[in-house]
Amino acid sequence: MPKKKPSQDKQQDVKEQGALGFSESYWRENYHNLDDMDGIYNARDHALYLRAVFALDQIQIRSVADFGFGPGHLFAAVLDTFKPYKCLGLEPSISAFTRAQQLLKRSGSTLLHTDLLSWCRDESQQKRFDLGLCTSVLQYLNDEELAQVLPILAQRLKYLYLTVPTSHEQQRFIDEYDFIDNYAYSRSREQYLAMLSPYFTIVSGRILESKQHFNEKNSDFTENLYRF
Ligand SMILES: C[S@@+](CC[C@H](N)C(=O)[O-])C[C@H]1O[C@@H](n2cnc3c(N)ncnc32)[C@H](O)[C@@H]1O
């Protein structure tokens, strides 16, 4: 999510659908200055943070998927850092997809122009990944979409790197930057935790562990104190 954004039109009652891709005007208005956008100016810091957290517990990350890679900076930094043998990225917005193709072409990643729910519904997607990235994307899925997506992600991933703005943060964007995201749903921290907790355990800042694959007894993460 950008740190700073210019003001937009008043929030609509009917949400625009992120799964169909954001409009060209969204990208033009909100992504013209990449220098202060989280996941872009600090993409390498995100990747180094992930490397350090997994290295501390000697957890190998050999495959990575990004669900909504946008302009692709964070995904590229993570691929560059972990050098996975298998990688997949998906992105429904055609302009972001096209832009990121350039950045990601050296990585050898499979790139799909599709949305998260479509990928989850596609039963031919049999591959499993050690690490999934989903940064500032889940706010664009409605409750029904999230209810379908989360159990599949827990099956297909061991770990999920998740950032998502809660209603509290979205209010701060409005107050401080006059920014209203017409595509985003507003959910409280408690609502997100209730949706995530059947499928994932929080094991570190932004890092979730799949309950399909791990529990308290077989987890590779030490420090039981930080399991939520
Ligand atoms: C705020 S941007 C974040 C991009 C990138 N993950 C990052 O951290 O820089 C949100 C991205 O989510 C994508 N998106 C929106 N709805 C989606 C959906 N249903 N499935 C997958 N991606 C979606 C948008 O096209 C956009 O590229």
Side-chain angles (χ1 to χ4, degrees):
M1 177 59 62
K3 275 165 64 186
K4 287 184 201 162
K5 283 184 164 186
S7 61
Q8 287 195 325
D9 295 334
K10 222 166 153 284
Q11 189 160 24
Q12 299 173 351
D13 290 337
V14 180
K15 286 269 162 271
E16 299 184 66
Q17 287 179 48
L20 301 179
F22 295 162
S23 67
E24 287 306 311
S25 60
Y26 180 96
W27 291 105
R28 218 174 24 250
E29 285 167 24
N30 299 312
Y31 275 73
H32 62 279
N33 182 5
L34 303 182
D35 293 344
D36 58 4
M37 317 259 307
D38 181 37
I40 296 185
Y41 79 94
N42 58 358
R44 180 105 182 114
D45 294 323
H46 280 278
L48 293 177
Y49 166 71
L50 279 166
R51 183 166 77 182
V53 172
F54 287 112
L56 274 176
D57 279 311
Q58 300 181 16
I59 298 170
Q60 301 282 335
I61 298 297
R62 297 193 182 92
S63 50
V64 175
D66 192 323
F67 307 107
F69 53 72
H73 295 75
L74 197 152
F75 189 28
V78 169
L79 296 182
D80 193 44
T81 302
F82 286 94
K83 304 206 171 9
Y85 79 93
K86 183 173 71 182
C87 39
L88 168 86
L90 54 94
E91 169 54 51
S93 294
I94 189 64
S95 63
F97 182 84
T98 309
R99 199 188 316 177
Q101 268 181 323
Q102 284 301 316
L103 199 63
L104 295 166
K105 67 179 176 209
R106 277 190 309 122
S107 70
S109 178
T110 302
L111 302 179
L112 303 177
H113 177 223
T114 190
D115 68 283
L116 184 47
L117 181 58
S118 302
W119 182 77
C120 287
R121 281 181 172 155
D122 181 355
E123 288 175 8
S124 72
Q125 296 291 338
Q126 291 299 332
K127 289 185 179 156
R128 302 288 182 266
F129 297 88
D130 293 336
L131 175 63
L133 310 175
C134 197
T135 52
S136 198
V137 173
L138 289 193
Q139 72 269 30
Y140 302 115
L141 278 71
N142 65 33
D143 288 357
E144 293 73 33
E145 289 174 315
L146 279 184
Q148 293 180 64
V149 155
L150 292 174
I152 307 284
L153 288 182
Q155 280 167 21
R156 295 185 187 174
L157 304 172
K158 289 184 180 172
Y159 306 105
L160 178 65
Y161 189 55
L162 177 70
T163 67
V164 62
T166 63
S167 47
H168 174 79
E169 287 158 315
Q170 288 168 325
Q171 189 57 48
R172 273 182 50 194
F173 294 140
I174 295 171
D175 295 342
E176 293 178 23
Y177 308 117
D178 200 19
F179 169 66
I180 297 173
D181 189 341
N182 289 324
Y183 288 94
Y185 290 88
S186 181
R187 298 184 183 95
S188 65
R189 175 176 183 274
E190 290 70 26
Q191 285 175 304
Y192 274 117
L193 292 178
M195 289 170 144
L196 289 163
S197 65
Y199 310 107
F200 291 96
T201 305
I202 298 174
V203 288
S204 194
R206 302 182 172 99
I207 301 179
L208 312 186
E209 178 191 74
S210 165
K211 287 187 177 175
Q212 282 284 327
H213 299 283
F214 300 103
N215 55 44
E216 215 169 52
K217 292 200 175 106
N218 70 0
S219 174
D220 288 323
F221 273 93
T222 53
E223 302 301 331
N224 190 40
L225 185 61
Y226 298 105
R227 298 182 70 79
F228 295 102

